[in-house]
Amino acid sequence: MSQQISPLAGKPAPKSILVDVPRLLAAYGELKPDPTVPAQRVAFGTSGHRGSSFERSFNEDHILAVSQAICEYRKAKGIDGPLFIGADTHALSQPAFESALEVLAANGVETMVSAGGEFTPTPAVSHAILVYNRGRSSGLADGIVITPSHNPPADGGFKYNPTNGGPADTDITRWVENRANALLESGLREVRRVPYAQARRAATTHEHDYLDTYVADLANVVDFDAIRAAGVRLGVDPLGGAGVHYWAAIAERHRIALDVLSETVDPQFAFMSVDWDGKIRMDPSSSYAMQRLITLRDKYDVACACDTDHDRHGVVTRSAGLLPANHYLTVLVDYLYRHRPQWNAQAAVGKTVVSTELIDRVARRLGRQLYEAPVGFKWFAPGLHDGTLGFGCEESAGASLLRMDGGAWSTDKDGLVPGLLAAEITAREGRDPGEVYARIADELGRPYSRRIDAAATPAQKAKLSKLSPDQLKAERIAGDKVVSVLDKAPGNDAAIGGIKVVTENGWFAARPSGTEAIYKIYAESFRDESHLDSLLQEAQSVVDAALS
């Protein structure tokens, strides 16, 4: 039942597992994908196309095809404003940026590239799109973010954000994916492209200072006066990611006591401690990956880290060490809806179906409606765009929220703001987020949660994603009566791509992984650890029976 923890987990990365960057970059251009092999086609998961050049799943041909498809999508939809493009610190991000710009310039797309070649966090691209589009009804902007998020150093990723600034929804990604694969199949004959040097000099290519515009605007979403007045000391580990130079700029502009642990950028990420499975992964919610910051927890009032594109956060407190993502998200909901009086009184709380039910209890106590959606941040983008959601979050430490005045800030996940809010909460509440969480759990119930992965064939994964409530034969789970069985999210009636079973004292959900030969079981008990064990065991039996 338990995951196999690698003997390397939490230890400094040994040389033997570091990626060969020159080989990786050579493979990007030299290896050609075969579109008749499913694993080598363009495939958008919950957020963009991801893969590795070694596996022929993220190569030059993929990026040329996807970029051309995006140009054609924009044209078909009449999107003719600028396209904001940003890239993170993964090795494959720079060559993918160059390929994309070659296509964008050849297609005459006004493209906003980062001033001085500065790395660009995902939220800074979303923020730029929203700021540009505010008050406009035509000539709207959209964007591309080149990142595989927290994935290992050999990976690359490519995401499209439409005019609402958030991750593209399924209709858009399906269109782009299908067109890109058709372009691959035809040998890229219809891809328009100019040499990179020419693309940089093109009249349509403009520099944009993402860092300065994002950092300056933060005062409209975070209460720096409170942080300053309380003298809160914040420690930050950018984990060598895209926001690496943003933090010092934040400290200087907003005059807060903020130490950046390291500004090292290394495409091998050799400074990381190894994740649970023996891989290097820049995951700020993993205690194995976060060892550098956890060891310094007593040095700061509160500390935080972000993943490589800075769209996920991890918060380390003196009282509790690294807070599990669900714990800190609960604290954010409880705090923000009490300290943002200008938000619409009807603004709902957004969460995914596999996030903690403690958020539901906090929302009820606040008198706020809950909007429960499938996994994927794209479900929250429209609500954050129009202000009907005050906050949206997913269990994997991704969240965004409104500005203090109730306007849209970033409709994609923002990892920097939750880190800064940990300092604001510490300042305003007089206790760190770990202590705030303990108080909420004492008042509303303490959840015990875990996720396990189980092997699954492609056929089983397909079956699980289409499982219906009447296929689950169980009236009681772990001694408790089954209250409901869901295959659609309560918030928007969209398919959850799996199943969620709610009992009197807990719940479990099962869904297939989009990228690996596994399915994931999430479970939460409001009793104790042994009840959680029973939930997980019986959940796996019930799911396996339904799949057999």
Side-chain angles (χ1 to χ4, degrees):
M1 283 296 290
S2 60
Q3 288 176 321
Q4 204 56 48
I5 304 296
S6 163
L8 295 175
K11 295 178 180 160
K15 278 199 166 66
S16 59
I17 71 166
L18 299 181
V19 66
D20 183 336
V21 173
R23 254 189 74 224
L24 183 75
L25 296 176
Y28 175 79
E30 290 166 9
L31 297 186
K32 301 296 177 189
D34 179 351
T36 64
V37 178
Q40 295 179 27
R41 289 169 71 79
V42 172
F44 277 79
T46 46
S47 195
H49 172 75
R50 288 184 190 173
S52 173
S53 59
F54 290 144
E55 313 287 333
R56 297 178 196 255
S57 52
F58 190 92
N59 303 80
E60 185 178 53
D61 286 6
H62 292 109
I63 304 311
L64 297 172
V66 174
S67 301
Q68 181 64 38
I70 288 170
C71 291
E72 293 175 15
Y73 174 81
R74 300 179 93 240
K75 198 169 182 185
K77 295 293 175 187
I79 301 168
D80 53 4
L83 181 141
F84 289 88
I85 187 168
D88 77 2
T89 56
H90 275 82
L92 288 172
S93 295
Q94 180 60 29
F97 167 79
E98 293 177 12
S99 302
L101 192 63
E102 291 172 358
V103 174
L104 293 165
N107 281 273
V109 174
E110 297 283 338
T111 305
M112 311 299 276
V113 303
S114 184
E118 179 61 63
F119 304 112
T120 314
T122 288
V125 174
S126 178
H127 173 264
I129 295 167
L130 293 170
V131 168
Y132 184 86
N133 287 344
R134 194 182 300 141
R136 293 176 196 264
S137 54
S138 61
L140 298 179
D142 55 0
I144 287 171
V145 193
I146 302 171
T147 174
S149 189
H150 61 297
N151 280 23
D155 284 17
F158 201 86
K159 305 191 298 185
Y160 174 61
N161 287 34
T163 56
N164 72 1
D169 68 28
T170 321
D171 291 346
I172 299 173
T173 55
R174 195 180 297 121
W175 193 98
V176 171
E177 182 182 302
N178 291 340
R179 179 59 183 146
N181 282 319
L183 289 164
L184 278 182
E185 286 159 10
S186 68
L188 304 180
R189 276 198 309 275
E190 294 173 81
V191 172
R192 303 174 68 177
R193 181 185 188 187
V194 296
Y196 179 65
Q198 189 183 329
R200 283 295 318 206
R201 291 194 309 269
T204 49
T205 301
H206 314 280
E207 289 214 335
H208 177 73
D209 194 339
Y210 289 93
L211 188 153
D212 192 62
T213 50
Y214 176 92
V215 168
D217 208 8
L218 277 168
N220 291 306
V221 76
V222 176
D223 185 350
F224 290 107
D225 293 341
I227 297 170
R228 250 193 328 272
V232 173
R233 287 191 62 75
L234 178 65
V236 178
D237 191 345
L239 301 180
V244 64
H245 301 131
Y246 279 56
W247 294 102
I250 290 167
E252 187 182 352
R253 178 178 283 266
H254 301 291
R255 307 190 314 284
I256 59 170
L258 186 159
D259 284 356
V260 183
L261 264 57
S262 168
E263 289 197 347
T264 300
V265 172
D266 166 21
Q268 289 186 307
F269 293 89
F271 53 79
M272 289 294 299
S273 49
V274 180
D275 205 5
W276 68 273
D277 57 355
K279 293 182 179 176
I280 294 176
R281 206 179 270 111
M282 290 59 72
D283 181 358
S285 54
S286 162
S287 60
Y288 301 106
M290 285 276 279
Q291 281 303 303
R292 179 161 74 176
L293 193 58
I294 291 169
T295 56
L296 297 173
R297 71 192 249 192
D298 293 330
K299 193 178 168 188
Y300 299 102
D301 296 311
V302 70
C304 68
C306 289
D307 68 338
T308 324
D309 67 321
H310 273 48
D311 75 338
R312 296 181 189 216
H313 61 270
V315 168
V316 174
T317 65
R318 279 183 180 168
S319 66
L322 176 66
L323 282 184
N326 273 317
H327 292 197
Y328 185 52
L329 295 171
T330 301
V331 170
L332 284 172
V333 172
D334 178 68
Y335 175 82
L336 287 166
Y337 286 83
R338 289 187 293 109
H339 290 89
R340 295 295 184 266
Q342 289 176 269
W343 285 8
N344 179 346
Q346 263 61 57
V349 177
K351 63 160 244 191
T352 58
V353 289
V354 292
S355 302
T356 178
E357 198 194 302
L358 194 53
I359 290 174
D360 309 35
R361 297 181 179 194
V362 167
R364 263 199 303 277
R365 181 166 76 175
L366 291 163
R368 294 282 178 163
Q369 192 186 344
L370 187 78
Y371 172 81
E372 194 173 354
V375 172
F377 208 76
K378 61 190 174 198
W379 302 109
F380 304 127
L384 289 166
H385 188 246
D386 66 15
T388 53
L389 279 183
F391 181 79
C393 66
E394 46 186 24
E395 73 302 330
S396 52
S400 194
L401 63 155
L402 299 178
R403 295 166 175 271
M404 289 191 189
D405 68 3
W409 164 254
S410 168
T411 47
D412 209 329
K413 293 179 288 197
D414 187 325
L416 295 99
V417 168
L420 294 166
L421 286 172
E424 181 187 325
I425 289 165
T426 304
R428 296 277 295 264
E429 301 276 294
R431 58 185 89 188
D432 72 39
E435 295 166 309
V436 175
Y437 174 78
R439 188 188 64 200
I440 295 168
D442 284 344
E443 292 163 354
L444 298 177
R446 189 172 303 278
Y448 300 84
S449 57
R450 207 178 313 143
R451 191 191 101 192
I452 58 164
D453 299 341
T457 64
Q460 287 173 318
K461 283 169 62 178
K463 195 170 178 183
L464 175 57
S465 69
K466 295 181 174 67
L467 213 57
S468 67
D470 53 339
Q471 285 172 270
L472 244 70
K473 307 280 185 262
E475 289 180 13
R476 299 186 84 79
I477 300 270
D480 289 335
K481 190 173 161 219
V482 171
V483 176
S484 62
V485 183
L486 310 168
D487 62 349
K488 292 189 167 64
N492 59 3
D493 211 34
I496 60 179
I499 206 89
K500 180 175 181 178
V501 177
V502 183
T503 72
E504 289 164 320
N505 291 292
W507 58 270
F508 80 81
R511 53 184 292 273
S513 164
T515 50
E516 299 169 88
I518 57 172
Y519 71 82
K520 305 172 184 187
I521 295 181
Y522 306 78
E524 182 171 68
S525 163
F526 275 86
R527 278 199 196 166
D528 52 34
E529 283 287 349
S530 67
H531 182 244
L532 177 64
D533 288 337
S534 303
L535 252 179
L536 281 164
Q537 244 155 355
E538 293 190 36
Q540 191 157 11
S541 303
V542 166
V543 173
D544 287 345
L547 294 182
S548 63

